[in-house]
Amino acid sequence: MNRQKLQRMLVTSASSLIAIIVALAICAVILLITGKDPVKAFSTLFGAAGETKVLQGMLNRATPLMISAAAVAIGFKMNLFNIGVEGQMRVALLSTAVIGGAVNLPAPLHIAFCFVVAMATGAIWAGIAGWLKVKRNVNEVISTIMLNFIALSAVAWSFDTFFRANKEGESTSVLVKTKDLPTTAWFPDIVDRRLNGMLIIAILILILFWVLVWKTKFGFQLRASGANSGAARATGVDPKRMVLVSMLISGAIAGLVGMRALMGDVHAYQNNLAEQQGFNGIAVALLGRNHPAGIFFSALLFGFLGEASGRLQLEDIPKEIVTIMTGIIVLAVVIINEAVKRWDDRRIQRRAAAMVDEKLANEKKVEAAS
Amino acid sequence: MSEQPQTRGDFAVELRGITKTFPGVIANHNVNLTVRPGTIHAIVGENGAGKSTLMKTLYGMHQPDEGTIVVNGSSRTFRSPTDAIATGIGMVHQHFMLADNLTITENIILGNEPTTSRGRIDFTAAHDSIRRLMSTLGVDFDLDAPVSSLGVGQRQRVEILKVLYRGARILILDEPTAVLVPQEVTELFVTLKRLVAEGATVIFISHKLDEVLANCDEITVIRQGTTVAHTTPRETDRRGLAELMVGSDLPDPSGRETSVGDTVLLQVSGLDVAGTVAGSKLALDDVSLRVHAGEIVGIAGVEGNGQFELCEAILGLTPAVRGSVTLENRDISDAPTRERIGAGLSYIPFDRHREGLLLDAPLWENTYLGREDDPALSSRVFTRRRAIEADSRTIIERFGVRTPNEHVPAFALSGGNQQKLVVGREMASNPKVLLAAHPTRGVDVGAQAAIWDELRHARDNGLGVLLVSADLEELIGLSDTILVMFDGRITAELDPANATPELLGTYMTGEVQGARS
């Protein structure tokens, strides 16, 4: 690894860390104002880090976050803001529960089949936004938000009307579900009932994401289009095709976000299944700077905060403080990154100039000596 | 602050020893400028000489590292354009800053709205004062018309009104004629002369010597970031001014030993491209041309007369309505851009920032851009990082790009080095035909000479070049044939041996249309 790259990485990580520290400080102030002891709150929160059960819970919660952040990040790389991961995930959840539950296949094949159904559904739903952008120049932020609303309502309605499988005589039950998936479609646990194997799939997705974006020709064209669509276009990269393809990939990944909950936990669709995990992925992608390694650690942090927040209630501290904290972290990241980038750009520019001057001076010296 | 009392009040603007450095380059160095009130004062210099940097200093867009700004006899420090405006300095930018969907009045008063006692915008008062300004300028607009209905020249007039409305008595115009057609240029100067007759002062930035000589009272020449001469149209002529602008170490674009080959590499026949607005006239109207092996075909023309559309259509970036493009006997009229590039086309785009570079990306990614299908640099799916970096180093070395290494981001390079990188990348794929649009625009004299050398060298080795340029000396010096474009058509074909900038100028304005040989 060369020096410049190492320096950039250090600067990037440092600015994210600063953001987290700033967020903690602001939360401490909020706690003080509400009359709670921030020291006690944070020690309770981070004290939980030693417990195996909490760490397992953290990994479980981090799993869907990694996947949804990857879905958001691939859009970001192309300068597309896919806010629709939540909706794409929801559509995929119901279709997988219904279609996956309707077939009988041997275990590994059944799981693969469910993945394909989920990815296809997510891709189709995201593809609508991509198609609208390409054909009608509809801003993807607006279309994905609208598609979220449509997805949430349409899925809830069709679930309620066609797919709920109530047991006889308990039709008013709150926790209605679809028919259970056959056990061949259950995704196995690593630690029984505590840690699901979808974690491995999530990490695999991050690795594939890295390979695709940074190691392939397609990934280069994707990044080039995102960085300067005019320059990419001038070399013959079709910007419309890139928009559509990256939206489809993003949607396909989004389709997998809910699979830990569906195939690894509940094994049937219910209305609050995997709720918010699509939205939370946006925050994780922002904190992780759209890089797989950054996303991995950010997902762990958010997973940990979510898991440990329950402890706060034991100390009579509202666990919502954790939600506030994640919100502040994201805001701080956006603000601090921008400031750090400006500073770093100037630093690089100055340094490059100094190095060029040095090189020229050396060349002159050599010339003079010979 | 050293204030010399004897100059007090003599000058509208006086700049003393202004120095402004940017990382890696000196944009302005010890600049001295004195502008008499009630004159049109031209600031001339080559692209990249530092004219705009100087005017941004005077307009408060950035602060000088050293030097003094004196306005109407008192020394000033401008922290922002707001300060400059308060002192009576206004700037008309090269790119207009108007809101298309607002009316002329709304655009003019935007940010300075007169209000009634009840806090509403007082349009009556606004109309009155704008009408007064219009009669001073000798123009007449329907003030309630939207700006979108105006032509380029009229928009510029609105920009001037906007600046005057803010109380400016000293107007800076940054290359105002670059976007205008000849008649509009004439009208603009009529307007400006009325303004100075009323006592205003105009600072006019340009590199077009003829209009400067014909219309300005005094001239200051900037070369390589510093003021080198102060003169008047009476004391000098075009040649003298050109020499002052480029100095004695003027890189000479002319000279060739080999002759043009017989093979036609690029043939464009009867090419039509639709205008941007549906139903408008063609942007490219029945254009035909040929580029032979070892030939540089120059395209002269005022910007916006179809040169951009021509390059885009040859590359397949803009669809042609009619006509064909043939590259080395192969009809590529229907081929996608990638295929055309693969067949041996290469393109130095008009604007390196908008179309040529990924500014935030390292140089090795920038030299890879557009060459992803080169089997030496990528396999079918994956990129070959090592090969790409090695190739990037070769380009940097061969084209003398001044950079510490290939890992720095492109934004850290100076404009000239960025351009050398783009030229290097486009030459690296050994193209058969190169479309070079303003290959030396905004670069320093050294980089310009280097780029010219490369173009000549490649031409001598059989490359066909279509050279679009606004620099007439460059066109005359490098080209083997010069075609003039006007209004989307090729209106003349000239032999550079007999062409002078003056002659080209008459064709470019569309006054004369020559026969094609």
Side-chain angles (χ1 to χ4, degrees), chain A residues 194-208:
Chain A
R194 292 210 189 278
L195 179 56
N196 187 256
M198 272 298 286
L199 174 66
I200 291 159
I201 300 289
I203 292 172
L204 218 59
I205 288 173
L206 286 181
I207 293 171
L208 283 176

Side-chain angles (χ1 to χ4, degrees), chain A residues 180-367:
Chain A
D180 271 1
L181 285 172
T183 48
T184 43
W186 293 19
F187 205 92
D189 288 332
I190 298 173
V191 181
D192 200 31
R193 299 303 301 153
R194 292 210 189 278
L195 179 56
N196 187 256
M198 272 298 286
L199 174 66
I200 291 159
I201 300 289
I203 292 172
L204 218 59
I205 288 173
L206 286 181
I207 293 171
L208 283 176
F209 170 62
W210 179 74
V211 171
L212 177 74
V213 172
W214 277 275
K215 294 288 151 192
T216 66
K217 269 161 52 169
F218 170 79
F220 177 77
Q221 293 179 347
L222 183 93
R223 284 187 295 128
S225 306
N228 186 348
S229 59
R233 172 181 171 273
T235 71
V237 175
D238 181 357
K240 292 185 170 177
R241 185 178 156 264
M242 292 312 275
V243 167
L244 201 59
V245 171
S246 50
M247 236 16 216
L248 289 175
I249 296 177
S250 179
I253 300 174
L256 294 175
V257 172
M259 290 308 117
R260 185 198 60 85
L262 177 69
M263 294 163 68
D265 188 10
V266 180
H267 306 123
Y269 179 85
Q270 63 194 34
N271 262 338
N272 63 349
L273 194 68
E275 218 171 24
Q276 294 295 319
Q277 285 173 359
F279 287 126
N280 291 341
I282 299 171
V284 173
L286 280 172
L287 180 62
R289 301 289 287 268
N290 304 316
H291 190 281
I295 287 172
F296 178 77
F297 289 113
S298 309
L300 290 186
L301 176 71
F302 278 50
F304 172 77
L305 289 175
E307 186 67 21
S309 65
R311 297 305 173 86
L312 291 174
Q313 278 172 316
L314 301 177
E315 302 288 338
D316 197 28
I317 296 164
K319 70 170 188 176
E320 280 72 22
I321 192 74
V322 166
T323 315
I324 296 175
M325 196 189 307
T326 51
I328 296 176
I329 289 176
V330 172
L331 274 180
V333 161
V334 174
I335 296 165
I336 291 173
N337 278 350
E338 192 51 39
V340 168
K341 186 182 178 324
R342 273 185 215 166
W343 168 82
D344 195 40
D345 282 358
R346 270 201 302 274
R347 182 187 67 86
I348 289 172
Q349 205 160 24
R350 226 175 278 133
R351 224 189 117 62
M355 281 167 82
V356 166
D357 289 347
E358 209 174 292
K359 212 163 138 186
L360 285 177
N362 281 340
E363 276 165 20
K364 272 193 191 134
K365 244 183 257 165
V366 173
E367 249 169 58

Side-chain angles (χ1 to χ4, degrees), chain B residues 346-349 369 421-431 434:
Chain B
S346 221
Y347 180 39
I348 299 171
L369 182 67
L421 193 80
V422 172
V423 174
R425 172 183 76 205
E426 296 308 323
M427 302 282 235
S429 49
N430 291 320
L434 172 71

Side-chain angles (χ1 to χ4, degrees), chain B residues 340-364:
Chain B
R340 299 186 194 205
I341 291 171
L345 267 183
S346 221
Y347 180 39
I348 299 171
F350 283 73
D351 182 332
R352 62 177 163 270
H353 284 184
R354 281 178 52 194
E355 294 188 302
L357 291 167
L358 311 172
L359 283 174
D360 272 330
L363 300 187
W364 65 267

Side-chain angles (χ1 to χ4, degrees), chain A residues 4 11-12 156 353:
Chain A
Q4 270 99 351
V11 169
T12 312

